Amino acid sequence: MKKHVKHLHRMNIIVAAVIVLTVIASFIIAGQPAFYAEPSSLTAIVHAGDGQTYRFPLDVDTTATVNSELGSNQFTVENGSIRATDADCNNHDCVRQGRISTPGQRIICLPHELWVEVVGEKKAAESSEGGIADGTGEEQSDAGTQASQDSHPDGGTPSSDVDTVGS
Amino acid sequence: MDRRRLRPPGLTIDEARSWATVGVFSALALALCYVETFIPIPVPIPGVKPGLANAVVLTSLVVLDCRSACCVAAIKVLAIGFLFGSPIMIAYSAVGTLFATLAMSVLVKIPHLHMVPVAVVGAMLHNVGQLMVANVMLQTTLVWMSAPIMLVVACATGAITGLLAQHLVSIARAEIG
């Protein structure tokens, strides 16, 4: 065994060092959030219990209440993250789940059958198409929601992505 | 019977011998890939596997030449894909194997270099190639988030395949001469 170690050529150590450096570099590069998506392109999508979806771009600070027949949840967007700030349920689990700000993160509210996800821009377009399929049209979305400040319900139209919200 | 008459037209004995070896190595790659399906993986990441067939590609790079190794690699990708996998798996495997084979074919030329680092680099590039395909197919750069873990895993699996390849080379050298 020792003989092998003794006979390890310098070349092996060089290549091994390159391998180790590559792995370390990959950790550093892959750890950069900027590598994955523009922060401004992130959108929080609230899937309400009645099948409606509402989008909140994470770069626009706002507070909004999402209502469905199952109950209402209040969300606050600030500093590029969204969190539930209030809800009219018993357990307030959604509030306890804190803020989410990166794609894939979720807030789930069981009593109101509501969930929030953060998506990048590309997936936001896909989800909006899905919104047509299970959405229930504009009339109901107006009745179902009183968005408190400058957020409007998105009736599920793919074109009204970021422009509609906040107008 | 004259030995010459048995020879396929257009092939010298050496060429025929090397093609036969390619066939043996390809069969070995298929067998190893089948054996691999029985090995449980303790890491809960999809797509992580020892990649024992890569050892055969590396062996053919050392024992034969780059062209033969590419043949073994191509047979490995297509045959394993059709036997055990899906067209999607072939796409992932093809790019990964291409990267790995190219890198290893360069590295085996370096004198004094042990088989293990060669195999580790091959395994790492195999993973990088697969992540590239995943990036294109899934349309998201988020797949690169798993790159560091994949590279660490590749160091372990590459070491295993490197040691296996070393044994295979010594066996093959003894058998083929």
Side-chain angles (χ1 to χ4, degrees):
Chain A
M1 205 56 193
K2 247 188 178 168
K3 231 179 187 180
H4 280 286
V5 176
K6 206 178 167 189
H7 284 169
L8 264 186
H9 194 266
R10 188 161 42 108
M11 211 64 211
N12 292 296
I13 293 150
I14 293 169
V15 174
V18 170
I19 290 169
V20 170
L21 284 179
T22 312
V23 171
I24 292 169
S26 81
F27 270 99
I28 293 166
I29 294 168
Q32 307 283 324
F35 181 72
Y36 299 106
E38 294 282 305
S40 57
S41 70
L42 293 178
T43 303
I45 302 180
V46 179
H47 300 262
D50 53 9
Q52 290 292 325
T53 56
Y54 310 95
R55 334 174 150 265
F56 303 100
L58 289 187
D59 52 347
V60 182
D61 287 1
T62 182
T63 300
T65 308
V66 172
N67 297 314
S68 73
E69 58 255 46
L70 296 163
S72 71
N73 298 59
Q74 189 191 58
F75 293 100
T76 299
V77 179
E78 58 180 5
N79 302 328
S81 70
I82 186 168
R83 68 194 160 96
T85 37
D86 199 13
D88 59 351
C89 60
N90 301 328
N91 54 18
H92 285 70
D93 273 344
C94 57
V95 179
R96 231 172 286 141
Q97 285 169 55
R99 55 182 71 241
I100 58 171
S101 56
T102 53
Q105 285 187 309
R106 283 176 185 170
I107 296 173
I108 292 163
C109 163
L110 284 182
H112 300 164
E113 294 174 21
L114 172 146
W115 57 289
V116 187
E117 63 173 342
V118 175
V119 297
E121 210 157 44
K122 238 173 199 156
K123 204 184 160 210
E126 280 168 26
S127 287
S128 130
E129 280 166 33
I132 293 180
D134 40 284
T136 34
E138 262 180 42
E139 255 178 66
Q140 276 203 9
S141 84
D142 283 337
T145 312
Q146 293 110 34
S148 61
Q149 281 172 23
D150 44 11
S151 281
H152 288 261
D154 180 358
T157 33
S159 55
S160 60
D161 229 346
V162 180
D163 297 333
T164 318
V165 179
S167 63
Chain B
M1 209 189 276
D2 187 9
R3 217 176 149 182
R4 271 182 196 195
R5 286 173 65 191
L6 287 174
R7 193 196 299 162
L11 279 183
T12 64
I13 284 292
D14 281 344
E15 279 171 340
R17 188 191 290 268
S18 116
W19 278 113
T21 318
V22 167
V24 170
F25 279 151
S26 304
L28 183 58
L30 291 188
L32 280 177
C33 200
Y34 183 60
V35 168
E36 203 172 81
T37 57
F38 297 116
I39 302 172
I41 311 293
V43 191
I45 305 169
V48 170
K49 54 179 187 143
L52 297 180
N54 217 29
V56 182
V57 176
L58 179 52
T59 309
S60 35
L61 270 173
V62 176
V63 176
L64 304 169
D65 53 358
C66 184
R67 211 172 55 119
S68 311
C70 287
C71 287
V72 174
I75 293 166
K76 177 203 127 185
V77 168
L78 292 174
I80 288 172
F82 283 118
L83 281 174
F84 311 118
S86 59
I88 295 166
M89 200 189 115
I90 295 178
Y92 279 95
S93 162
V95 178
T97 305
L98 178 71
F99 277 35
T101 311
L102 287 180
M104 291 194 301
S105 67
V106 174
L107 285 177
V108 287
K109 298 247 159 60
I110 299 175
H112 306 296
L113 193 56
H114 196 265
M115 300 279 268
V116 169
V118 178
V120 166
V121 172
M124 284 166 85
L125 276 164
H126 196 286
N127 285 348
V128 169
Q130 284 184 319
L131 285 175
M132 280 174 151
V133 177
N135 191 351
V136 172
M137 280 201 175
L138 305 176
Q139 290 288 309
T140 170
T141 50
L142 278 173
V143 293
W144 295 101
M145 239 163 177
S146 62
I149 304 143
M150 296 284 264
L151 290 183
V152 171
V153 172
C155 288
T157 61
I160 296 166
T161 54
L163 292 174
L164 179 63
Q166 204 176 30
H167 280 278
L168 285 176
V169 166
S170 55
I171 294 167
R173 287 227 165 104
E175 293 292 325
I176 300 166

